């Protein structure tokens, strides 16, 4: 159960890292997540079923997420459609795109080789190893990108859009770029998780943004005053702890059909915790 929770946490931690780019850095509540996540899975699984190399299929699944992010970005920056509505439009459209790609609502990988099968250990260890490798590559890539001049312009856009524009930064371009990169990472998570689960489903994205936000919030509740690298690692740690909590809930005999509501409760408690903690500390201070 521990290995399973850590493996799940690592792969879903990639989802959290993707959401962090828009939700925290860009201050953009992007609903495209619930479309790009299963879209990446649908593309990867379909290609693997057509005997395409799993690594290449995973990268193309990631590219599909990038395209979904691009459409959202263009709707928002060029079409002047509100952020949430632009994401919802793309998320809804992605459902039909996935049906066209897979030809059905869900598609399995029975008898097909996945990325895990190219690693030399048992299935559980292979999933864990793939999670470690994937998270390391994503975090290293993000650290490199965010410390470039382009990355700093992106961060500045999220901090203060008007100020960034006054310095000559094309903020529309930064926002589109952020949505492309973010949804590409989210789709990568979808493609990897689909290979772990052995299938892709058009309904798999419903409520997935809550899982990603839970990783971010738990990481922020546990740690504060972090460097960028530490913050990204904290998101992955938050994801692992989240899945450990979910595993404990299921181990206690709760119905797995209600997993989404458990996720929402865990997230709500994490959001409430800082407020409760502050009030308790104030009470202790006043009593002294």
């Amino acid at each position: 159960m521990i290995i399973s929770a850590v493996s799940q946490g690592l792969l879903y931690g990639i989802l959290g890292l993707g959401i962090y780019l828009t939700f925290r850095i860009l201050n953009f509540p992007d609903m495209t997540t619930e479309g790009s996540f299963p879209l990446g899975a649908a593309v990867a699984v379909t290609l693997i079923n057509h005997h395409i190399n799993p690594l290449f299929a995973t990268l193309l699944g990631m590219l599909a997420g990038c395209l979904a992010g691009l459409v959202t970005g263009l709707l928002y920056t060029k079409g002047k459609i509100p952020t949430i509505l632009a994401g919802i439009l793309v998320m809804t459209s992605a459902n039909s795109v996935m049906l066209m790609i897979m030809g059905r609502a869900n598609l399995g990988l029975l008898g097909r080789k996945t990325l895990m099968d190219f690693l030399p250990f048992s299935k559980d260890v292979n999933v864990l190893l793939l999670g470690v490798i994937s998270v390391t590559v994503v975090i290293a890539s993000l650290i490199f990108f965010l410390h470039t001049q382009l990355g700093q312009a992106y961060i500045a856009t999220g901090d203060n859009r008007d100020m960034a524009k006054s310095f000559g930064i094309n903020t529309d371009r930064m926002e589109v770029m952020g949505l492309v990169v973010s949804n590409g990472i989210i789709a990568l998570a979808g493609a990897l998780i689909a290979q772990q689960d052995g299938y892709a489903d058009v309904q798999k994205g419903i409520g997935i943004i809550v899982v990603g936000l839970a990783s971010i919030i738990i990481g922020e509740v546990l740690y504060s005053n972090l460097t960028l690298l530490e913050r990204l690692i904290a998101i992955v740690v938050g994801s692992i702890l989240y899945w450990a909590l979910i595993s404990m809930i299921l181990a206690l005999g709760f119905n797995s059909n209600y997993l989404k509501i458990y996720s929402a409760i865990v997230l709500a408690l994490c959001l409430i915790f800082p407020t409760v903690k502050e009030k308790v500390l104030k009470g202790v201070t006043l009593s002294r």
Side-chain angles (χ1 to χ4, degrees):
M1 187 177 75
I2 294 171
I3 293 176
S4 175
V6 173
S7 301
Q8 288 278 92
L10 287 168
L11 294 180
Y12 278 96
I14 298 171
L15 167 69
L17 293 170
I19 293 175
Y20 177 79
L21 283 178
T22 50
F23 183 71
R24 276 289 182 255
I25 296 181
L26 204 57
N27 295 317
F28 192 111
D30 183 24
M31 293 301 296
T32 316
T33 300
E34 301 205 355
S36 56
F37 180 84
L39 179 61
V43 170
V45 168
T46 302
L47 290 174
I48 290 171
N49 272 294
H50 283 83
H51 307 287
I52 302 297
N53 182 281
L55 178 59
F56 188 55
T58 301
L59 293 175
L60 287 177
M62 185 177 178
L63 179 61
C66 291
L67 291 174
L70 176 63
V71 175
T72 301
L74 293 175
L75 288 174
Y76 171 61
T77 58
K78 304 302 180 186
K80 304 304 177 185
I81 296 175
T83 55
I84 293 178
L85 184 55
I88 290 172
L89 286 173
V90 175
M91 174 188 74
T92 306
S93 302
N95 190 277
S96 296
V97 173
M98 285 183 280
L99 288 173
M100 286 189 282
I101 290 170
M102 295 194 295
R104 64 188 78 175
N106 53 69
L107 183 64
L109 281 169
L110 188 63
R112 303 296 183 192
K113 277 196 170 186
T114 64
L115 283 175
M116 291 78 174
D117 296 319
F118 289 93
L119 296 172
F121 307 105
S122 65
K123 183 180 178 181
D124 289 341
V125 176
N126 285 347
V127 173
L128 181 62
L129 184 58
L130 181 65
V132 171
I133 294 169
S134 303
V135 163
T136 302
V137 170
V138 171
I139 289 179
S141 301
L142 287 178
I143 290 295
F144 173 78
F145 163 66
L146 293 172
H147 280 89
T148 63
Q149 191 172 355
L150 186 64
Q152 290 298 302
Y154 173 69
I155 293 172
T157 300
D159 286 341
N160 191 319
R161 196 177 192 274
D162 294 332
M163 183 67 74
K165 190 177 287 187
S166 71
F167 283 116
I169 296 172
N170 188 327
T171 53
D172 283 356
R173 190 175 296 169
M174 291 300 107
E175 287 168 336
V176 171
M177 180 188 69
L179 287 164
V180 168
V181 174
S182 168
N183 283 284
I185 293 171
I186 290 164
L188 171 64
L192 293 173
I193 290 164
Q195 291 176 68
Q196 180 199 22
D197 294 343
Y199 72 97
D201 193 301
V202 296
Q203 301 296 324
K204 211 165 185 181
I206 296 175
I208 201 67
I209 194 168
V210 174
V211 177
L213 289 174
S215 306
I216 297 170
I217 301 302
I218 291 172
E220 290 176 344
V221 166
L222 290 174
Y223 306 102
S224 58
N225 302 319
L226 301 177
T227 65
L228 178 60
L229 174 59
E230 291 168 342
R231 191 175 295 276
L232 296 179
I233 293 172
I235 292 170
V236 178
V237 173
S239 178
I240 293 170
L241 291 175
Y242 166 80
W243 282 104
L245 285 171
I246 294 298
S247 297
M248 287 171 60
I249 290 169
L250 296 178
L252 291 172
F254 288 86
N255 193 328
S256 60
N257 291 327
Y258 306 133
L259 190 60
K260 300 296 183 186
I261 196 168
Y262 305 151
S263 302
I265 291 170
V266 169
L267 179 57
L269 290 173
C270 290
L271 287 168
I272 292 168
F273 180 78
T275 305
V276 174
K277 181 181 177 182
E278 186 180 344
K279 287 183 177 179
V280 169
L281 289 174
K282 277 186 178 179
V284 171
T285 304
L286 289 171
S287 66
R288 287 177 180 175

